[in-house]
Amino acid sequence: MASRPIRIPGPDHPITVTRSDAHVVVRAAGRVIAETRRALELREASYPPVFYIPRADADMTLLVRTEHASYCPYKGEAAYFSIRGGAENAVWSYEAPYAAVAEIGDHLAFYPDRVEAIEVNR
């Protein structure tokens, strides 16, 4: 099996991870799935910003790990979770992220179109 490319963020593909003081609430399947004031905000190239929420601030009993996976040459291998009674593969997590984005390890990100709401109050 060929090894996967690993790329370092730079001027051609910038990635920044900053701690956010926003109150972030994720709702799905009629419930609060995650709520935190400790989110990380990842900005990558021209993509919309993504909030990564500590797993400790999510109700992991409402999430079911799936077999789905994806790969980003800048961040690494992503694992996925479905929401019980909600959308499939709605949540992703880089469990062993590359060094350039190591902070996002042990955090979850949510697809905005697969949850009811991601509320951000700054």
Side-chain angles (χ1 to χ4, degrees):
M1 182 161 126
S3 65
R4 293 185 163 180
I6 299 174
R7 297 195 176 119
I8 306 298
D12 60 326
H13 193 97
I15 298 177
T16 59
V17 180
T18 56
R19 199 158 292 287
S20 174
D21 60 358
H23 181 217
V24 181
V25 179
V26 180
R27 297 179 192 280
R31 297 173 281 200
V32 171
I33 305 296
E35 182 172 7
T36 192
R37 289 189 178 277
R38 303 182 306 144
L40 299 175
E41 188 172 1
L42 185 141
R43 293 180 177 268
E44 179 177 2
S46 61
Y47 300 115
V50 174
F51 284 99
Y52 281 79
I53 295 173
R55 285 185 184 212
D57 295 341
D59 186 345
M60 295 299 292
T61 66
L62 299 176
L63 304 179
V64 179
R65 189 181 184 105
T66 70
E67 295 297 318
H68 185 68
S70 65
Y71 179 75
C72 171
Y74 294 96
K75 296 186 288 290
E77 184 83 24
Y80 286 77
F81 297 84
S82 293
I83 298 168
R84 290 185 193 277
E88 297 219 5
N89 298 317
V91 184
W92 75 92
S93 180
Y94 290 94
E95 296 172 337
Y98 292 149
V101 294
E103 309 98 296
I104 66 172
D106 206 29
H107 286 67
L108 303 168
F110 296 80
Y111 283 108
D113 62 340
R114 297 184 190 175
V115 296
E116 290 165 15
I118 300 175
E119 301 165 4
V120 179
N121 298 303
R122 296 188 189 261

